[in-house]
């Protein structure tokens, strides 16, 4: 009889097969290198290391300290920052730590609303941070860009302590200078410093690769990110910032200059306990990979692939939010394009080995579980080596599946399309197997 452990490893093999035989279109997912996998699965998982390098609450951290310092220095170099905290367990943890570092309970934070494309941690009422701070949400224009006039109006009306630019479903390049001007205007009016924070979880790899502006070079003091999306690292978070670096174990004055130290204190002991040093080691490995010239080429190819995919989809009758993309991400109004909802389309695409996610649009009437749109992107496919020609093939598959859904009417009717979907599945599998996934052994594909 198989042990429980045997069952786990058998399921891991099945997941390796699923990933190898399909194409990952979710813009927040990617593949890590074999070295990142090795670091994450190392004996560093055995070590407790509360505190910071040179300032730990446990002994035996001489090697851990060196590894974490490598991760910090590489992150600083990657984003041209004065300081980096590599301990956040996730992007959500990173965001909460910044709020905690700068804001008091009840303070106002101005951020993109969830329906407009923002993230849950940017003020959704179901989150913990929304119960602590007063979030005010700005929106987007009809063409999908940030409504900067609305942002400025809300800032001057509500006088936020923190202005956040960040998103999970947004296909434009933010005008960081415009937001900085709003913050300066607000400071001039109130006499109080305003923290400018950018949550660049989706595009951090594009920033590191030199194909997207760096908010830290446009007057923002803080940037948060996950490390597993376009950065191609392990699942985790990071905070990089500008300012004076001090001792995180000593209190300091609440000023923008001291924001690096305030953030360190907010991460530990403020919002987290022991750091995940095996994950931090994997972050260090990924950051070194991101510093190589090849990564710049990769980032540029992500954007090229996204633009070609957007153009091809539009040619085939898909209506895109924002009329295309300026980064790695596309939002498709599948309801307006083919008369089907996003969840139905997501389910059908899963059957052929194409994975994306249903996503609400800014003016959606379908709700979170039956939204009108789908969200997709090119980072994972680009990691595997797919290029512009493959994007055109992908668009054609998406059109065939959309038409099959429209003819079927609903999930039950989709059974009548099994033969057609099965043919597309074989075509997807054949293409996917031509582009191996890093770190997956050949016998597991």
């Amino acid at each position: 009889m198989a042990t429980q452990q045997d069952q786990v490893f058998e399921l891991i093999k099945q997941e390796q097969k699923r990933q190898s035989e399909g194409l990952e279109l979710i813009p927040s997912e990617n593949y890590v290198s074999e070295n990142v996998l090795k670091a994450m699965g190392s004996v560093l998982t055995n070590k407790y290391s509360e505190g910071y390098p040179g300032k730990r609450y446990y002994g035996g951290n001489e090697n851990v300290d060196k590894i974490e310092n490598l991760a910090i220095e590489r992150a600083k170099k990657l984003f041209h920052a004065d300081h980096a905290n590599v301990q956040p367990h996730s992007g959500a943890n990173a965001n909460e730590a910044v709020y905690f570092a700068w804001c008091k309970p009840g303070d106002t934070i101005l951020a993109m609303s969830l329906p407009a494309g923002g993230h849950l941690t940017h003020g959704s009422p179901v989150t913990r941070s929304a119960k602590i701070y007063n979030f005010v949400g700005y929106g987007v224009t009809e063409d999908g860009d940030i409504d900067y006039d609305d942002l400025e109006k809300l800032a001057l009306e509500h006088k936020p302590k923190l202005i956040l630019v960040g998103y999970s479903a947004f296909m434009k390049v933010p005008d960081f200078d415009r937001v900085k001007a709003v913050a300066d205007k607000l400071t001039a009016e109130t006499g109080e410093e305003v923290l400018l924070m950018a949550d660049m979880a989706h595009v951090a790899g594009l920033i590191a690769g030199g194909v997207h502006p760096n908010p830290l070079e446009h007057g923002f003091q803080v940037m948060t990110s996950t490390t597993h999306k376009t950065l191609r690292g392990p699942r985790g978070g990071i905070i990089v910032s500008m300012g004076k670096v001090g001792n995180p174990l000593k209190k300091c004055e609440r000023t923008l200059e001291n924001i690096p130290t305030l953030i360190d204190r907010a991460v530990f002991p403020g919002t987290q306990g022991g750091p995940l040093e095996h994950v931090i080691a994997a972050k260090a490995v990924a950051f070194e990979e991101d510093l190589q010239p090849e990564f710049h080429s990769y980032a540029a190819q992500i954007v090229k692939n996204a633009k070609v995919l957007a153009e091809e989809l539009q040619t085939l009758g898909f209506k895109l939010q924002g009329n295309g993309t300026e980064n790695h991400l596309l939002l498709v109004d599948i309801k307006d394009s083919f008369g089907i909802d996003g969840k139905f389309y997501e389910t059908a695409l899963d059957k052929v080995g194409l994975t994306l996610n249903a996503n609400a649009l800014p003016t959606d009437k379908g709700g979170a579980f039956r939204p009108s749109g789908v969200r997709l992107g090119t980072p994972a496919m680009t990691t595997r080596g797919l290029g512009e020609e493959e994007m055109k093939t992908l668009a054609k598959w998406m059109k065939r599946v959309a038409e099959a859904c429209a003819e079927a009417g609903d999930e039950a009717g989709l059974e009548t399309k099994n033969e057609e979907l099965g043919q597309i599945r074989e075509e997807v599998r054949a293409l996917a197997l031509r582009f191996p996934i890093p770190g997956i052994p050949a016998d597991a594909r």
Side-chain angles (χ1 to χ4, degrees), residues 142-158:
E142 287 187 7
D143 67 353
D145 204 354
I146 292 172
D147 189 334
Y148 294 101
D149 291 337
D150 181 43
L151 186 155
E152 180 171 351
K153 177 185 174 184
L154 291 170
L156 296 177
E157 178 183 350
H158 294 278

Side-chain angles (χ1 to χ4, degrees), residues 386-402:
L386 278 72
E388 289 99 321
E389 288 306 310
E390 286 78 25
M391 295 304 106
K392 295 176 183 177
T393 300
L394 171 64
K396 292 180 176 66
W397 285 331
M398 290 180 65
K399 173 69 177 293
R400 288 164 64 186
V401 174

Side-chain angles (χ1 to χ4, degrees), residues 93-365:
N93 289 63
N95 287 345
E96 284 210 6
V98 177
Y99 304 154
F100 186 70
W102 187 250
C103 299
K104 298 175 183 176
D107 278 353
T108 297
I109 297 173
L110 181 61
M112 182 183 285
S113 70
L114 185 62
H119 190 259
L120 279 170
T121 59
H122 300 168
S124 172
V126 300
T127 62
R128 176 176 57 187
S129 54
K131 301 181 190 329
I132 300 172
Y133 310 106
N134 174 41
F135 281 86
V136 174
Y138 58 84
V140 293
T141 59
E142 287 187 7
D143 67 353
D145 204 354
I146 292 172
D147 189 334
Y148 294 101
D149 291 337
D150 181 43
L151 186 155
E152 180 171 351
K153 177 185 174 184
L154 291 170
L156 296 177
E157 178 183 350
H158 294 278
K159 298 177 175 50
K161 296 293 191 294
L162 187 158
I163 299 177
L164 169 58
V165 174
Y167 35 81
S168 63
F170 182 71
M171 71 301 298
K172 301 287 187 180
V173 174
D175 186 344
F176 296 117
D177 290 334
R178 177 75 189 275
V179 181
K180 174 64 164 62
V182 172
D184 289 345
K185 188 173 182 179
L186 182 58
T187 296
E189 183 178 299
T190 64
E192 295 185 5
E193 293 182 316
V194 178
L195 180 68
L196 284 175
M197 170 186 173
D199 178 353
M200 297 288 102
H202 267 273
V203 296
L206 304 185
I207 294 170
V211 296
H212 188 289
N214 182 345
L216 298 183
E217 296 175 344
H218 292 266
F220 278 60
Q221 294 86 20
V222 178
M223 186 181 93
T224 62
S225 178
T226 52
T227 50
H228 53 269
K229 296 186 177 80
T230 46
L231 282 173
R232 294 200 300 199
R235 292 194 169 270
I238 186 176
I239 307 170
V240 289
S241 56
M242 307 301 291
K244 184 174 67 176
V245 182
N247 186 341
L249 301 184
K250 294 183 178 180
K251 290 184 178 181
C252 62
E253 188 180 358
R254 182 181 165 279
T255 64
L256 291 182
E257 184 183 35
N258 287 331
I259 197 65
T261 307
L262 293 169
I263 286 171
D264 278 351
R265 290 178 59 80
V267 173
F268 176 84
T271 57
Q272 289 187 181
L276 310 177
E277 292 296 343
H278 57 302
V279 178
I280 289 173
K283 291 176 186 178
V285 171
F287 296 158
E288 182 63 20
E289 294 172 351
D290 298 342
L291 286 165
Q292 304 311 309
E294 294 82 3
F295 190 81
H296 284 246
S297 301
Y298 164 68
Q301 190 62 49
I302 288 175
V303 178
K304 287 179 186 176
N305 281 349
K307 290 182 181 295
V308 169
L309 180 56
E311 290 168 4
E312 192 69 15
L313 286 171
Q314 288 177 305
T315 298
L316 294 173
F318 289 81
K319 296 183 179 179
L320 271 58
Q321 175 79 6
N323 198 36
T325 183
E326 296 176 1
N327 53 32
H328 67 302
L329 185 148
L330 290 75
L331 268 180
V332 178
D333 188 339
I334 196 69
K335 185 76 171 180
D336 200 22
S337 303
F338 295 95
I340 57 177
D341 69 66
K343 198 64 183 178
F344 179 26
Y345 190 44
E346 175 193 304
T347 300
L349 286 170
D350 259 344
K351 291 180 180 293
V352 303
L354 300 176
T355 308
L356 48 63
N357 66 283
N359 204 95
L361 302 172
T363 56
D364 214 314
K365 301 291 191 297

Side-chain angles (χ1 to χ4, degrees), residues 1-8 10:
M1 181 177 178
T3 66
Q4 195 68 31
Q5 187 181 51
D6 291 335
Q7 292 175 29
V8 168
E10 180 57 39

Side-chain angles (χ1 to χ4, degrees), residues 440-445:
I440 294 184
D443 60 358
R445 295 170 191 157

